[in-house]
Amino acid sequence: MPVQLLKMMKGQSETPLPSHLQKENLQHLQEGRDYTNKYIQETFIVTGFKVVKLPTAGKDGRHDCHLEVSEEAGSAVYIYTKPGTTAASETASVSVAPKYVYTPLNHLKDGTIVNLYGVVKFFKPPYISKGTDYCSVVTLMDPSNVKLTCSLFSGNLDSLPKIYKVGDIVRFHRIKIREYNGQMQGITSGGFASLTFDGTVGAPIVPRTSSREYTFMDEEQKTIEDLRIWAASNISVSGPAAKLSGVQPMLFFDLTCQLVGKAKVDGSSFLLKVWDGTKCPYPTWKVPVEAKDLEGEKVLLHQLRNLAVDILVYDNHVQLAESLQIGSFLRIYSIHTKQASADNEDVSHIEFHLHGGTCYGRGIGVLPESNPDVKELKAFLESVDLTDSQNMESMCSMDIDSTFGNVTDLELHLQRCQQLSVTVLTDHQDLSNTELKTITNSPAPQQYRIRAKLRTYKPQKLHQSVKLHCSKCNSLQEVPDRDEFDFILHNSATTAPNPELHNASWYESVTWTTQDQKREIAIHFVKRDEMLQHPEDTLLMIEGGTLKEIWKLAKRFKCVIPVRSTEDDLELLDLSAPFLLQGSVKYYGCKKCSTPKPVKNLSSIAAEQQLSWEPTEIAQVLGIELLQYVFIMKFTLVDETGALNAYLFDYEKFFQIPASEILTNNFLQQKMQMTMDTLCPPGRKLGDLPWLECFIRSYNVRDAMKNQVYYQIFDTTVAEDVV
DNA sequence: TTAGGTTTTG
């Protein structure tokens, strides 16, 4: 900003102003007007400026210095106005557009306050923290491929970034960078401000902000466009968004909807009644509440009784849910759709839960009416004929007719399944079918081909079907939970790594102590030909690690084996803990059948020509009897003649999903749930269930009291177009 | 201060 000094003589300027300049009055100033040839004559006060010497000093008759002002440097301009000339307060403060510098995420330094741009990779919509403020956690990425997780706090909900989707783009000003657990972390500092933009390529660039005043330069438009293009191929969008018509017992999904009713249920849960104009194809649960507790337009609630669904929100979400306005538009993140059936019910129903906690971004966001998704939803809701939806009542939702107006893909899929078998045989195709009654009347053991319907199955909670099986002693056990692993790790961390065992001929060791000085960690990288390998090929052993650390290492390295030091060797931990981790899969050994051998046997595998680090081979050299993940389910099969319970014992073949991966992979869980919903669609009459072709074998189980015949499914797989 | 991303089992 050039500064020229005008010498005043008796109230007149000695050097006159250029004649093309016209005086403008403060009270007539308007946003967006061109003031190139206008001036205002007032007394200014400028603070917080920087004096910069001009390169052209002395040549053009101007003062040889600039005064540079910027918001970032805390500059402010004060203008004294004369009474009566302006309606504004006596002192007006004008922000001056500063030039901001934006730091790429790979150049962040501990202890600095910076401005930055980023694409939202993950976010938790604002929720009430345990302290005094709202909190929103946001993870950003930029083309440097570095991630930054920010904890943003504010007592004012409005001043937190208005992020609605993964892929949104944010601009943060004055965010403080700190190092936490070896990584950079962002945290709100004084003067934090943010803008949020839709991340869709080609969408209008309209910043979402609560600040009345903000700067946005033309060149920033380009930054947004560039980030959008980068994000399109580098950021995967968030989990499946769904309409109510498309819900599956899919475990978790985000729903954009309108709130039509709400009610207090008890201290730890709260009911939200919402709709999105589509109809859920399954019977949905209704949470019983007292009529007096239900807030909402009674007539509308009645009209929407077949379209609105009940969502029960728990714990920390209750307070926010209570404050929601009826009629507002919401995006509810990570709703759990749970299929439930009571033993006395013929059909199962779907329940919608928003569980407590905020992991995976679980929470409730209020969307403004300007949001494009809301605009679209509103238009759709207005087009829904509520008389029609009432008529649908006569078409019982438990008996969906194929003439039902809105035939979803699922319906078409199910129609196909009613004609063809949803399972196929992988062998013995020449056998002919046997009726179930004949089978139950025949002695075991025998093998049969059957054509039957899946009446029901157990467990309904599919994750409970995964067990660990020892093929040596034929025992089955539950998959240990993470608390057990955590406990074992905790105990083993009390023994410090033995320095004498570091850097053996076949591994290289790295050790350090945690910041609190409480824990010593040692990692031993197994070498090959005395060389370290790429991380993705490396097996490492770790002492003193936590669950989280081990989990992270297992993502990065090929194999992780938790160990502890003894006086003269490294040894495996208790076999209730996984002896090996690969990616997200934890491998366990049978306590009864394993005889652990020295870990140095691993060096024999490292010396092999084709190094692959196969779990079976690792188990073998370590003397571990490897437990295999298996699905165990009970299918109740029926045909025109009778019914029988057959067990499914499947490592991978039936579902074409490895049982070892299901517990840690949401996508596979959803896939399995969808498969089961095709085999046994919830809410269907028996006549509408699809056929299954299976092989079953009968076998005897004798105990002291009696002999019982059991049935097991074998050589059968789910049809290719079902999975 | 709060949270510090990694799903409940009601």
Side-chain angles (χ1 to χ4, degrees):
Chain A
M1 189 196 289
V3 175
Q4 294 198 39
L5 296 180
L6 302 173
K7 264 192 197 158
M8 302 296 283
M9 299 289 284
K10 296 173 187 163
Q12 290 287 316
S13 171
E14 197 184 50
T15 348
L17 282 171
S19 58
H20 66 278
L21 295 180
Q22 294 168 330
K23 186 169 179 176
E24 184 65 284
N25 201 311
L26 259 194
Q27 68 192 122
H28 297 140
L29 292 181
Q30 279 182 0
E31 225 182 347
R33 283 255 195 102
D34 179 6
Y35 290 103
T36 318
N37 298 316
K38 307 268 182 181
Y39 71 92
I40 46 175
Q41 185 177 354
E42 301 288 338
T43 308
F44 284 83
I45 291 175
V46 181
T47 71
F49 53 84
K50 206 166 139 189
V51 180
V52 178
K53 192 116 179 154
L54 274 175
T56 54
K59 287 182 191 160
D60 53 9
R62 291 194 290 166
H63 192 279
D64 61 0
C65 285
H66 267 172
L67 295 189
E68 269 189 9
V69 290
S70 76
E71 197 179 341
E72 201 178 18
S75 314
V77 178
Y78 298 91
I79 302 165
Y80 283 115
T81 56
K82 289 171 200 149
T85 57
T86 171
S89 58
E90 282 185 27
T91 311
S93 170
V94 178
S95 307
V96 178
K99 180 105 177 147
Y100 283 92
V101 174
Y102 295 95
T103 311
L105 300 185
N106 58 340
H107 287 162
L108 298 174
K109 295 211 169 55
D110 185 22
T112 55
I113 291 179
V114 298
N115 307 313
L116 47 88
Y117 268 100
V119 182
V120 175
K121 168 112 181 44
F122 166 84
F123 72 105
K124 293 184 176 183
Y127 58 95
I128 299 160
S129 77
K130 288 180 182 143
T132 57
D133 292 325
Y134 286 97
C135 172
S136 182
V137 173
V138 182
T139 302
L140 304 178
M141 274 190 99
D142 74 358
S144 72
N145 260 324
V146 167
K147 273 204 289 192
L148 177 73
T149 296
C150 305
S151 299
L152 310 175
F153 299 100
S154 174
N156 174 11
L157 186 61
D158 246 8
S159 64
L160 289 171
K162 298 178 186 311
I163 297 166
Y164 306 129
K165 281 182 185 171
V166 164
D168 278 351
I169 291 168
V170 293
R171 188 191 78 177
F172 289 167
H173 277 177
R174 293 169 292 273
I175 182 141
K176 192 163 157 188
I177 303 301
R178 290 197 316 206
E179 196 179 318
Y180 176 77
N181 271 352
Q183 286 196 310
M184 291 304 162
Q185 170 197 62
I187 190 156
T188 36
S189 70
F192 170 80
S194 71
L195 298 183
T196 310
F197 303 86
D198 191 320
T200 319
V201 175
I205 296 184
V206 185
R208 308 197 278 255
T209 176
S210 60
S211 321
R212 277 192 310 117
E213 285 164 359
Y214 59 88
T215 57
F216 191 63
M217 311 292 203
D218 286 347
E219 65 254 36
E220 294 187 81
Q221 194 112 352
K222 171 100 172 57
T223 308
I224 304 287
E225 280 164 2
D226 290 349
L227 279 172
R228 283 175 168 180
I229 290 163
W230 175 80
S233 52
N234 290 280
I235 299 279
S236 48
V237 288
S238 52
K243 286 277 180 195
L244 289 173
S245 61
V247 297
Q248 296 286 315
M250 57 155 53
L251 305 181
F252 297 93
F253 76 108
D254 299 343
L255 180 70
T256 306
C257 55
Q258 187 182 30
L259 182 67
V260 289
K262 59 176 193 174
K264 182 182 179 324
V265 177
D266 57 40
S268 68
S269 64
F270 193 83
L271 170 66
L272 298 179
K273 281 181 181 285
V274 302
W275 76 311
D276 72 356
T278 71
K279 184 163 165 55
C280 176
Y282 303 108
T284 61
W285 72 332
K286 294 289 171 219
V287 177
V289 287
E290 298 261 348
K292 67 171 170 50
D293 290 334
L294 181 62
E295 192 184 323
E297 184 65 52
K298 293 285 177 295
V299 177
L300 184 66
L301 280 167
H302 181 72
Q303 283 179 323
L304 297 182
R305 65 192 178 283
N306 292 317
L307 288 177
V309 298
D310 284 7
I311 298 176
L312 200 54
V313 313
Y314 295 92
D315 306 337
N316 56 314
H317 308 298
V318 170
Q319 201 185 338
L320 193 81
E322 280 173 335
S323 71
L324 296 171
Q325 299 287 316
I326 298 287
S328 58
F329 292 92
L330 309 176
R331 183 164 288 147
I332 309 182
Y333 299 91
S334 208
I335 298 178
H336 184 196
T337 52
K338 192 167 127 187
Q339 186 182 346
S341 65
D343 281 341
N344 58 352
E345 270 180 15
D346 257 8
V347 290
S348 54
H349 61 255
I350 284 200
E351 301 177 353
F352 297 91
H353 300 266
L354 186 72
H355 295 291
T358 61
C359 7
Y360 275 80
R362 200 185 298 133
I364 305 171
V366 180
L367 300 178
E369 305 225 354
S370 59
N371 179 286
D373 295 334
V374 168
K375 283 184 185 163
E376 193 187 314
L377 175 62
K378 249 181 114 173
F380 182 63
L381 295 185
E382 280 158 15
S383 76
V384 174
D385 184 349
L386 294 181
T387 356
D388 267 357
S389 73
Q390 278 186 25
N391 291 341
M392 287 194 311
E393 204 183 14
S394 57
M395 246 195 265
C396 174
S397 60
M398 295 179 190
D399 184 13
I400 303 157
D401 195 303
S402 59
T403 58
F404 185 64
N406 184 15
V407 180
T408 61
D409 289 348
L410 174 74
E411 286 305 304
L412 289 169
H413 191 54
L414 290 176
Q415 283 171 27
R416 165 251 170 259
C417 293
Q418 273 155 37
Q419 291 146 28
L420 299 168
S421 169
V422 286
T423 52
V424 294
L425 310 177
T426 56
D427 203 352
H428 329 281
Q429 274 85 353
D430 50 325
L431 267 180
S432 55
N433 289 331
T434 305
E435 292 180 333
L436 297 188
K437 192 177 172 189
T438 311
I439 298 172
T440 51
N441 287 334
S442 305
Q446 283 189 67
Q447 297 189 354
Y448 307 96
R449 173 178 178 164
I450 62 163
R451 183 172 159 84
K453 295 189 172 200
L454 180 56
R455 183 83 200 79
T456 183
Y457 59 89
K458 278 186 178 170
Q460 288 275 319
K461 291 171 185 168
L462 293 178
H463 68 93
Q464 292 176 346
S465 69
V466 184
K467 312 279 178 208
L468 292 171
H469 178 239
C470 175
S471 52
K472 193 165 180 188
C473 66
N474 209 24
S475 64
L476 278 172
Q477 65 170 77
E478 295 294 331
V479 181
D481 64 16
R482 73 165 90 173
D483 290 346
E484 206 164 340
F485 188 20
D486 202 21
F487 181 74
I488 293 168
L489 288 174
H490 216 84
N491 280 346
S492 72
T494 54
T495 313
N498 177 354
E500 286 178 22
L501 303 173
H502 295 169
N503 297 315
S505 61
W506 57 286
Y507 59 76
E508 196 166 313
S509 307
V510 178
T511 60
W512 69 95
T513 307
T514 54
Q515 271 183 342
D516 57 10
Q517 304 286 314
K518 283 187 182 152
R519 199 156 48 89
E520 283 182 63
I521 303 166
I523 296 185
H524 313 287
F525 298 93
V526 174
K527 296 187 287 189
R528 177 182 167 82
D529 297 333
E530 300 185 354
M531 301 268 285
L532 289 174
Q533 304 295 298
H534 290 300
E536 58 273 21
D537 301 322
T538 299
L539 180 142
L540 63 84
M541 298 174 290
I542 177 166
E543 296 181 72
T546 61
L547 202 61
K548 210 168 170 180
E549 287 157 355
I550 290 178
W551 185 81
K552 277 190 176 163
L553 288 167
K555 293 261 177 242
R556 176 121 173 75
F557 294 86
K558 175 87 180 175
C559 298
V560 174
I561 297 183
V563 293
R564 67 177 161 221
S565 290
T566 63
E567 271 180 22
D568 47 13
D569 207 353
L570 297 172
E571 66 173 18
L572 298 177
L573 309 184
D574 184 286
L575 286 182
S576 299
F579 74 95
L580 168 69
L581 295 96
Q582 276 198 350
S584 62
V585 181
K586 301 174 188 75
Y587 292 92
Y588 294 88
C590 179
K591 279 188 169 179
K592 196 172 136 197
C593 304
S594 303
T595 320
K597 294 179 186 166
V599 295
K600 67 168 171 291
N601 289 6
L602 288 168
S603 61
S604 66
I605 307 184
E608 281 174 13
Q609 281 264 296
Q610 294 285 322
L611 181 58
S612 61
W613 292 125
E614 283 301 316
T616 43
E617 204 181 350
I618 294 171
Q620 202 188 359
V621 299
L622 292 177
I624 299 296
E625 188 61 41
L626 187 63
L627 294 175
Q628 284 196 282
Y629 285 87
V630 63
F631 294 114
I632 308 276
M633 297 180 78
K634 186 167 87 176
F635 281 16
T636 302
L637 297 165
V638 293
D639 69 3
E640 298 84 350
T641 67
L644 60 77
N645 287 326
Y647 286 90
L648 177 73
F649 182 97
D650 177 52
Y651 294 118
E652 173 155 22
K653 193 176 162 188
F654 182 82
F655 289 111
Q656 291 160 56
I657 293 170
S660 57
E661 288 177 31
I662 194 94
L663 291 176
T664 51
N665 186 323
N666 272 339
F667 173 74
L668 292 181
Q669 284 180 24
Q670 289 180 21
K671 190 173 148 182
M672 183 172 172
Q673 184 70 62
M674 284 166 80
T675 300
M676 287 314 299
D677 289 341
T678 307
L679 268 53
C680 184
R684 289 296 181 115
K685 281 181 179 167
L686 186 56
D688 297 334
L689 295 178
W691 288 102
L692 278 72
E693 282 207 277
C694 306
F695 276 117
I696 59 169
R697 66 163 66 96
S698 60
Y699 57 100
N700 291 302
V701 175
R702 292 186 182 84
D703 63 22
M705 302 295 287
K706 58 179 179 183
N707 178 53
Q708 213 169 343
V709 177
Y710 283 84
Y711 303 92
Q712 188 186 330
I713 297 170
F714 72 104
D715 284 347
T716 306
T717 176
V718 171
E720 219 167 78
D721 57 345
V722 169
V723 292

